[in-house]
Amino acid sequence: MLSSVLRSERAVQVNVAIMRAFVGLRRMIATNETLARKLAELERRLESHDESIKSLFDAIRELMAPPAKPKREIGFHAIAKDRQQSRTAP
């Protein structure tokens, strides 16, 4: 446009430089748009992985925890008659 009004070599060079700048800007916007789309897709995929990894770590922690010791029973326990006879028999 500038070159059509001024009709000089310098005006042509400036006009070409402006067009190249706009083409570069369009490429950069398209690249960023593609990058943003890919990043959003990656985030969606990782969300499900995060939940899986968390449940995996929870299961590992559960396995690493020491087993609960059984509580000691309180009180008197009678021995059954058949077991008592086998103890006293010579």
Side-chain angles (χ1 to χ4, degrees):
M1 293 196 225
L2 184 64
S3 59
S4 65
V5 174
L6 296 178
R7 298 187 185 270
S8 71
E9 183 63 33
R10 180 143 178 108
V12 171
Q13 289 174 354
V14 169
N15 196 19
V16 169
I18 290 171
M19 291 300 130
R20 286 183 179 160
F22 278 111
V23 169
L25 186 60
R26 187 179 327 139
R27 282 184 187 154
M28 188 169 46
I29 289 171
T31 302
N32 286 342
E33 200 173 297
T34 304
L35 183 63
R37 234 181 294 122
K38 286 183 180 181
L39 186 61
E41 180 185 336
L42 185 62
E43 278 181 323
R44 277 193 304 263
R45 274 194 274 155
L46 288 180
E47 283 177 1
S48 65
H49 290 301
D50 285 345
E51 293 169 10
S52 300
I53 290 171
K54 185 181 180 304
S55 65
L56 180 65
F57 275 112
D58 289 342
I60 291 172
R61 282 191 188 103
E62 203 172 298
L63 290 173
M64 289 175 50
K69 293 182 181 178
K71 291 186 177 183
R72 191 172 145 222
E73 293 183 22
I74 300 174
F76 178 77
H77 296 283
I79 300 175
K81 287 186 178 186
D82 58 334
R83 291 179 76 196
Q84 188 176 12
Q85 288 174 357
S86 64
R87 279 189 170 176
T88 57

